[in-house]
Amino acid sequence: MTEKEFENIYRTYFAMMCTIANTIVKDRETATDIAQQVFVNFWSRKDEIIIQSNIKSYLHRSTINTALNHLEKQAHIQLSNDMSAYSESTSVEGHGTYLEGEVEQAIVKAISTLPPKCQEVFSLSRYQGMSNQEIADTLNISIKSVEKHITKALKDLRELLRPYLNYSIIFFAIEVGLSLVWLSLT
């Protein structure tokens, strides 16, 4: 791919990619950064990438994946910050450390065991607060598929996190912003 071809692709699809990313991250500046990141990755791997469909589909999917990865990193950072703050403010020695280590690992591990599409739908629903229709539109799938993925995610997470579902953990989860996940599991 020549620089001229790349520039043409950039001019053609950049606005679309910003719109897609903004739908997911709900911040124009971050969306622009995500679209630029997709293009930087695309250019740096131009000799390795084999596009099996068309370039528009490839860039659409890459933008969604990059935006979701951004949200996942942000959620993890926020969770770590919230858990640190909770740990520092707790009066029970060792209680914060237990919660920070055990619960965070259990949540991350449980979510990571979900199938990729199920993780994607669950993240958009629970971490971004997107409606089923918004998720369906963003991922180009039916609302029934969205509902199926969310139902499966909640069922699997409920089972995997059952040992952690007690009053102190639920209280902690609500306090540090995990209420969307925990309340839907109980």
Side-chain angles (χ1 to χ4, degrees):
M1 171 182 302
T2 67
E3 284 186 42
K4 183 115 176 122
E5 291 170 325
F6 178 78
E7 287 176 25
N8 189 37
I9 291 169
Y10 182 88
R11 275 189 245 108
T12 303
Y13 297 108
F14 185 75
M16 172 199 78
M17 294 166 59
C18 288
T19 301
I20 292 166
N22 191 46
T23 302
I24 296 169
V25 298
K26 309 274 193 252
D27 180 72
R28 288 187 195 277
E29 190 172 313
T30 302
T32 301
D33 291 345
I34 288 168
Q36 289 174 349
Q37 181 182 354
V38 170
F39 274 116
V40 167
N41 292 341
F42 179 65
W43 178 251
S44 68
R45 297 182 54 224
K46 69 183 180 302
D47 297 328
E48 304 166 19
I49 297 173
I50 299 171
I51 300 174
Q52 296 178 359
S53 58
N54 63 39
I55 190 72
K56 182 179 179 180
S57 296
Y58 174 82
L59 293 173
H60 185 269
R61 175 54 51 200
S62 295
T63 303
I64 290 172
N65 290 342
T66 304
L68 290 174
N69 288 342
H70 170 79
L71 291 179
E72 195 171 311
K73 286 177 190 172
Q74 291 305 110
H76 183 73
I77 290 167
Q78 184 62 45
L79 177 62
S80 294
N81 291 342
D82 290 345
M83 287 214 265
S84 294
Y86 181 80
S87 178
E88 291 171 11
S89 69
T90 186
S91 61
V92 179
E93 186 75 27
H95 182 66
T97 304
Y98 166 77
L99 291 173
E100 185 174 332
E102 294 290 322
V103 176
E104 182 177 9
Q105 286 178 9
I107 291 170
V108 170
K109 184 177 179 182
I111 291 174
S112 73
T113 64
L114 297 172
K117 183 62 95 175
C118 199
Q119 284 182 36
E120 189 174 29
V121 170
F122 183 78
S123 293
L124 289 173
S125 173
R126 294 310 192 258
Y127 295 125
Q128 281 305 297
M130 292 175 74
S131 70
N132 289 358
Q133 183 64 57
E134 290 172 324
I135 296 168
D137 292 343
T138 300
L139 300 179
N140 294 321
I141 59 176
S142 71
I143 292 177
K144 287 290 185 195
S145 292
V146 172
E147 292 169 354
K148 181 187 90 175
H149 287 300
I150 291 173
T151 300
K152 178 177 179 27
L154 291 175
K155 179 183 175 220
D156 291 357
L157 293 174
R158 189 177 296 117
E159 187 59 38
L160 291 168
L161 298 172
R162 187 173 309 283
Y164 298 94
L165 295 176
N166 66 43
Y167 292 114
S168 64
I169 300 298
I170 291 170
F171 174 75
F172 169 75
I174 290 168
E175 221 178 289
V176 297
L178 294 175
S179 58
L180 290 175
V181 175
W182 284 108
L183 293 178
S184 63
L185 293 174
T186 55

